Amino acid sequence: MTKKSTSRGFIKDIIIVVIAIAVIFVSLQVVFGFGSNPFYVVASGSMIPELLIDDIIVVQGNIPFEEIEIGDIIVFNRPSDHNKVIVHRVVTILGDDPKTIRTKGDANSGSIPGTDFPITEEEYLGKTVAKIPQVGWFLKFIQPPVNYILIAIVIGIIIVKQMTKKKSEKEFTLYDPLDSEDQENNEEIADIDKIQKDSEYSTHTEKSKMADDGKNESEEPVKDDDKSSRENKKE
């Protein structure tokens, strides 16, 4: 396999990985909502024991605010200043026009004004639908989209290494046995004449050669001197 074909294969694998990552990213956006971050790391203990610090929560942003009910765990911007993201449980529906709710952390003694209420659709980011326990410690220092890029790179490297490994196991080298650069193979070819002949085949060949030589001698034409001596004898 030439270097050119190997390079083409590597580029093809990279393109496949990039496409796969793009498909995964778009799929996440379709499932969890375009423009929303589907993953958050729990940074406080206000939801213990339901959510622990460094848990990753999966948030579905395309669930309408109107469908949120008491008991749901939601993610929202703090209503007082919108500079902090909160994840708490809904405990009360304060009003329906517009819909306004109040939340509370499971570990807190009560709702905190300006943090847990009043929450409207403007503050709402999404509903928590799943959690991944204790794996968010290495992501909480990295903000989107850097964390997605790093995850994609790691996955891509793993996939490419696996593909390369499988290909290397199947690859073999083609070479010209008469190529002067391959000294070892040339020496092996040169040594073919030194291989001991098969005794039966050699004997048969030598006998055939001797028979052919005898036949040629018997058919040799009579020389003029021999012909003259024979005529003299007849006279």
Side-chain angles (χ1 to χ4, degrees):
M1 185 175 286
T2 63
K3 291 183 179 180
K4 188 175 181 179
S5 59
T6 302
S7 299
R8 287 180 179 177
F10 182 76
I11 294 173
K12 182 180 178 181
D13 291 340
I14 292 295
I15 293 174
I16 291 173
V17 171
V18 171
I19 293 174
I21 292 172
V23 170
I24 292 172
F25 179 77
V26 172
S27 300
L28 288 174
Q29 294 296 307
V30 170
V31 172
F32 297 108
F34 283 98
S36 63
N37 177 17
F39 304 107
Y40 289 86
V41 179
V42 177
S44 74
S46 63
M47 285 296 293
I48 293 174
E50 181 67 26
L51 299 175
L52 303 179
I53 296 175
D54 292 337
D55 284 352
I56 291 180
I57 56 174
V58 181
V59 179
Q60 195 160 343
N62 55 4
I63 296 178
F65 183 67
E66 294 298 325
E67 296 181 7
I68 297 301
E69 301 175 348
I70 293 174
D72 290 341
I73 298 175
I74 65 171
V75 175
F76 55 93
N77 289 314
R78 184 164 58 185
S80 61
D81 50 22
H82 284 203
N83 68 355
K84 187 174 183 180
V85 176
I86 308 295
V87 51
H88 279 174
R89 191 185 302 275
V90 177
V91 294
T92 306
I93 305 296
L94 299 176
D96 292 326
D97 190 20
K99 185 172 184 177
T100 307
I101 62 178
R102 179 168 62 88
T103 66
K104 185 180 79 71
D106 289 356
N108 295 343
S109 57
S111 299
I112 304 171
T115 296
D116 287 307
F117 67 93
I119 299 168
T120 64
E121 188 172 4
E122 183 181 357
E123 288 79 37
Y124 173 73
L125 295 175
K127 177 182 176 180
T128 300
V129 294
K131 69 175 180 179
I132 307 173
Q134 299 297 291
V135 294
W137 60 269
F138 63 96
L139 290 178
K140 64 182 179 181
F141 300 107
I142 305 174
Q143 299 299 318
V146 178
N147 54 351
Y148 298 129
I149 295 173
L150 292 177
I151 292 172
I153 290 174
V154 171
I155 295 174
I157 291 173
I158 293 172
I159 294 174
V160 170
K161 287 184 71 175
Q162 290 299 321
M163 289 181 175
T164 306
K165 183 178 179 181
K166 289 180 181 179
K167 281 196 170 186
S168 63
E169 292 175 354
K170 296 179 181 179
E171 286 179 354
F172 60 93
T173 303
L174 299 178
Y175 59 88
D176 184 356
L178 300 179
D179 190 351
S180 59
E181 294 180 359
D182 194 340
Q183 296 296 331
E184 183 178 350
N185 287 299
N186 286 344
E187 291 175 1
E188 290 179 359
I189 294 173
D191 289 340
I192 291 178
D193 293 336
K194 298 180 182 179
I195 298 176
Q196 186 175 0
K197 296 180 180 180
D198 180 86
S199 58
E200 183 177 350
Y201 174 79
S202 300
T203 303
H204 177 74
T205 303
E206 290 174 359
K207 288 182 179 180
S208 299
K209 186 176 180 181
M210 291 176 64
D212 291 340
D213 291 343
K215 184 178 180 180
N216 292 335
E217 290 177 358
S218 63
E219 293 178 354
E220 184 178 353
V222 179
K223 296 181 180 180
D224 292 340
D225 293 341
D226 292 341
K227 185 176 181 181
S228 300
S229 62
R230 290 177 183 175
E231 290 178 352
N232 293 333
K233 287 180 180 181
K234 287 180 181 180
E235 292 175 355

